[in-house]
Amino acid sequence: MLEGAGRLARVWARMAVNFEEGGSSAYARIARGVAADEELVGLFSGLPEGNKRQPNLLLGAVRYLGGPVGSFAGWRAFVVEHWERVAQVVLEQSTQTNEVRRCATLLPVLAGLAGPLALVEVGASAGLCLYPDRYRYSYDGGAPLGPKGSPVVLECATSGGVVVPDRVPEVVWRAGIDLNPLDAGDEGDVRWLESLVWPGDEEAARVERLRGAASVVAADPPLMWSGDVLEVLGQVVGRAPEGATVVVFHSAVLAYLGRGERDRFAALVGELPVRWVSNEGWGVFPEWEGARPEREEDFTLALDGRVVGHAGEHGQRLSRW
């Protein structure tokens, strides 16, 4: 197996472990099959290097086209038969998993800031996480807080003395930045987001949350900018209303940037009159004190470069550091 194909096979093998730990035995089975299949790995190696070879993107493209996930053999047969269509979706789309449940782990930080808030999300996808004030929340099985008419209830387990807020923040302005913004009111865009949800025990609940959040966003769309965050962030922040605390936040986004780009982003945010909420894998800024969580798959939650907790990648849990 060629060196590049060998690296790709190892990526799929590592993802098999992640899928298993994330509760998707179907994807774990498929990933293990791909890792050991020289023909498939060679086929995938023909895609452009970088983000277009991501397992999540390929798996999402197959689901978007109606491909099966019940067995590796069935999945493989579909990919080989429909490879040109699969490759076209991969080239046109990107991984934009917009898990709205992450708002439950962001809320304790946002609620602790002086309001009203003006939110700017980096890597906003369809902007579902720009509406933390429009959803309801239940921490540790407690009574939900938030607007009673919301179609979305986000559940989160806490540990380590997390200070659970008793209210949602006041948000007076919201904007998103993405290389390819999605429209929560567009059926095709929402179907693409659904295709990125892993099959498994959590699938039905995640899709239900996604659809509920999309209905909230579609009813009152945010401002959306298409472009490189390093180029447009200053412009977007400059449009926020006076008197509001501007909060720049992101979840599972900076891992797609190189180390140099991450450092440039951190320097840029530090120069702007904003508060910065980062919710990323610990390896994005490993130098931060307390960055590494007990669970390798958990995110590191930080405010202005200081670690304040660790969160489940889908917002299912939050621990205070």
Side-chain angles (χ1 to χ4, degrees):
M1 188 179 291
L2 297 176
E3 182 181 353
R7 285 198 300 269
L8 188 56
R10 290 192 290 273
V11 169
W12 279 89
R14 288 195 298 271
M15 283 304 299
V17 176
N18 292 345
F19 289 137
E20 198 72 65
E21 293 177 346
S24 183
S25 58
Y27 270 2
R29 184 166 52 248
I30 290 170
R32 285 193 295 268
V34 172
D37 193 309
E38 292 190 16
E39 182 181 352
L40 278 187
V41 171
L43 194 64
F44 298 164
S45 296
L47 293 167
E49 290 190 26
N51 294 340
K52 293 303 177 181
R53 295 185 184 180
Q54 294 173 17
N56 278 321
L57 181 55
L58 277 157
L59 291 163
V62 174
R63 295 203 81 188
Y64 185 74
L65 295 172
V69 296
S71 70
F72 171 66
W75 186 87
R76 185 190 194 283
F78 182 92
V79 170
V80 172
E81 181 180 354
H82 301 282
W83 174 242
E84 290 187 4
R85 294 173 63 205
V86 173
Q88 182 178 354
V89 174
V90 168
L91 294 175
E92 293 175 349
Q93 302 285 4
S94 58
T95 49
Q96 294 175 285
T97 307
N98 210 172
E99 176 51 65
V100 67
R101 195 178 186 180
R102 289 173 182 154
C103 285
T105 54
L106 297 172
L107 185 70
V109 179
L110 296 177
L113 300 177
L117 305 182
L119 301 180
V120 179
E121 183 180 13
V122 174
S125 185
L128 305 189
C129 290
L130 278 166
Y131 293 74
D133 56 323
R134 305 285 180 88
Y135 307 135
R136 305 197 78 196
Y137 303 84
S138 174
Y139 291 94
D140 302 313
L145 63 97
K148 293 184 178 180
S150 175
V152 179
V153 177
L154 307 176
E155 299 178 337
C156 180
T158 71
S159 62
V162 172
V163 179
V164 175
D166 58 6
R167 60 176 179 82
V168 296
E170 179 187 3
V171 180
V172 294
W173 188 84
R174 58 197 98 218
I177 301 172
D178 201 284
L179 289 173
N180 180 36
L182 300 181
D183 182 355
D186 182 272
E187 182 179 346
D189 283 355
V190 174
R191 189 164 69 85
W192 171 243
L193 288 176
E194 292 178 4
S195 300
L196 294 172
V197 175
W198 297 356
D201 294 340
E202 288 285 317
E203 179 181 9
R206 290 186 65 194
V207 169
E208 182 180 2
R209 286 194 297 269
L210 191 159
R211 290 175 178 169
S215 70
V216 170
V217 177
D220 182 21
L223 299 173
M224 296 293 280
W225 267 264
S226 175
D228 185 329
V229 63
L230 295 174
E231 297 176 0
V232 304
L233 181 60
Q235 302 171 41
V236 176
V237 169
R239 294 191 176 220
E242 293 185 9
T245 298
V246 183
V247 182
V248 173
F249 73 99
H250 49 86
S251 295
V253 171
L254 297 192
Y256 296 106
L257 302 182
R259 181 71 227 203
E261 292 175 308
R262 294 177 212 162
D263 290 341
R264 286 173 57 199
F265 175 81
L268 175 60
V269 175
E271 296 171 356
L272 295 171
V274 303
R275 305 301 301 272
W276 174 26
V277 179
S278 172
N279 189 39
E280 300 282 347
W282 71 271
V284 170
F285 292 110
E287 68 275 13
W288 287 348
E289 183 182 3
R292 190 164 191 161
E294 290 186 7
R295 299 172 186 251
E296 286 286 317
E297 69 272 20
D298 279 1
F299 287 174
T300 297
L301 182 62
L303 175 63
D304 299 329
R306 182 176 63 86
V307 176
V308 295
H310 297 115
E313 60 180 338
H314 295 148
Q316 67 273 42
R317 58 181 171 268
L318 175 64
S319 61
R320 184 178 179 184
W321 181 68

